């Protein structure tokens, strides 16, 4: 990547998540010997029942009790329920799941701002290492405003500038390739994937008849050339179906 630059905002220098209620509930769970997940549910149920009571519906079922519609320290209770599932699937404690993944909603708002403010510059946003960190790429230099937004995230953020392409350009290239392949009668099925890390659009397709010369077959498809020379299209042929080809 010509002109590439990298800025790493270390986790130790980023803001800490402020969760006074959850910290109190952690202490309550520790002193009572009850699981934190249970203590959080009991708290959410009490808040839902007292702050925004809902009418009882069929057979005495009260949705405020079984599905509390509340937010704790900025985290929707539904998300806290999901974090219990994450904890079990990852083999970690509920406390660790909250610490690692509990800022998803607020993080998403910052990520949405980045995408909205730099639609032609963002070259990809992705979590790394099960979300302790975030990588944000840019087509050109890293905008100062992007650094400002990234400094509000409670995690390590790696900003990479000078990638030479944007995610929007990558999507346009992929869409153009898909549109062309849909019109080609010699294509049976296909699957495409764009890699925001490398700028590659990868195509796997199944011809109706496998050719003797794969390169000649690919040239015959007359795929559109990317508008940006930093984006490449890679085609792999498969004798087996790879996906349903929409028409």
């Amino acid at each position: 990547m010509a002109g590439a630059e990298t800025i790493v905002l270390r986790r130790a220098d980023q803001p800490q998540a402020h969760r006074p209620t959850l910290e109190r509930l952690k202490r309550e769970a520790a002193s009572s010997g009850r699981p934190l997940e249970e203590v959080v549910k009991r708290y959410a149920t009490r808040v839902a029942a007292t702050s925004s009571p809902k009418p009882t519906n069929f057979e005495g079922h009260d949705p405020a009790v079984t599905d509390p519609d509340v937010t704790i320290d900025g985290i929707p209770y539904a998300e806290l329920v999901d974090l219990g599932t994450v904890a079990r699937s990852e083999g970690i404690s509920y406390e660790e799941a909250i610490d690692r993944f509990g800022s998803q909603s607020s993080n998403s708002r910052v990520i949405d701002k980045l995408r909205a403010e730099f639609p032609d510059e963002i070259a990809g946003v992705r979590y790394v290492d099960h979300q302790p960190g975030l990588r944000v790429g840019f087509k050109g230099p890293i905008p100062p405003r992007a650094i400002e937004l990234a400094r509000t995230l409670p995690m390590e953020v790696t900003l990479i500038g000078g990638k030479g392409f944007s995610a929007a350009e990558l999507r346009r290239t992929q869409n153009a390739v898909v549109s062309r392949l849909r019109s080609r009668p010699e294509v049976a099925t296909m699957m495409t994937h764009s890699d925001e890390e490398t700028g590659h659009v990868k195509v796997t397709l199944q011809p109706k008849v496998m050719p003797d010369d794969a390169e000649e077959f690919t040239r015959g498809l007359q795929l559109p050339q990317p508008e940006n020379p930093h984006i490449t299209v890679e085609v792999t042929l498969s004798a087996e179906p790879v996906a349903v080809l929409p028409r």
Side-chain angles (χ1 to χ4, degrees), residues 5-9 134 136 138 142 146-147 150 157-161:
E5 61 173 325
T6 300
I7 296 175
V8 179
L9 305 178
L134 191 74
V136 186
F138 295 90
I142 301 170
I147 301 174
V157 182
T158 301
L159 303 164
I160 304 171

Side-chain angles (χ1 to χ4, degrees), residues 56-62:
T56 301
N57 62 8
F58 65 92
E59 296 182 355
H61 170 68
D62 185 355

Side-chain angles (χ1 to χ4, degrees), residues 201-221:
V201 174
K202 298 181 180 181
V203 181
T204 304
L205 64 85
Q206 176 203 19
K208 289 183 178 177
V209 178
M210 281 296 291
D212 294 328
D213 190 327
E215 290 187 8
E216 182 180 353
F217 177 87
T218 301
R219 284 195 299 271
L221 294 173

Side-chain angles (χ1 to χ4, degrees), residues 116-189:
E117 293 190 26
F118 307 102
D120 299 322
E121 284 296 313
I122 286 284
V125 180
R126 68 182 181 90
Y127 286 105
V128 295
D129 298 330
H130 300 286
Q131 295 196 29
L134 191 74
R135 286 173 65 89
V136 186
F138 295 90
K139 178 179 180 179
I142 301 170
R145 169 61 175 163
I147 301 174
E148 178 185 339
L149 287 171
R151 288 194 187 281
T152 68
L153 294 167
M155 61 173 60
E156 180 170 293
V157 182
T158 301
L159 303 164
I160 304 171
K163 293 181 73 72
F165 62 89
S166 70
E169 290 172 325
L170 201 56
R171 283 193 300 273
R172 287 197 293 272
T173 298
Q174 181 177 5
N175 291 340
V177 168
V178 169
S179 178
R180 176 62 58 85
L181 290 175
R182 284 175 176 168
S183 70
R184 302 301 301 192
E186 61 266 59
V187 177
T189 63

